Amino acid sequence: MTHSESYLSDKDIAQRYSIGRATVWRWITTRKFPSPVKLSPGCTRWKNSDVTKWEAEQEAKA
């Protein structure tokens, strides 16, 4: 069975957390948010698995 990774755009991330797209980029340094992956020129995305792992880490801190 092949595992297929899903990817999220900055717009997807912004909608997920009800924040602005610029905030997503700011979180990379201020909240240690996962770094994005450059899939091609002009196409930068986050691995869904990285975002889910980050969420679990944030819940553990709370």
Side-chain angles (χ1 to χ4, degrees):
M1 180 177 197
T2 303
H3 178 265
S4 179
E5 178 72 63
S6 62
Y7 293 90
L8 303 168
S9 67
D10 57 354
K11 186 176 180 180
D12 296 330
I13 300 287
Q15 288 177 341
R16 187 172 184 148
Y17 300 113
S18 300
I19 58 174
R21 289 172 60 195
T23 301
V24 175
W25 293 97
R26 199 172 315 117
W27 276 11
I28 294 170
T29 56
T30 62
R31 292 191 176 211
K32 306 299 185 222
F33 196 70
S35 295
V37 177
K38 190 146 190 92
L39 299 177
S40 66
C43 183
T44 303
R45 300 288 185 265
W46 282 261
K47 289 183 179 180
N48 192 35
S49 60
D50 289 347
V51 174
T52 302
K53 180 181 174 187
W54 179 82
E55 288 173 346
E57 291 168 356
Q58 299 314 300
E59 288 179 13
K61 291 178 184 179

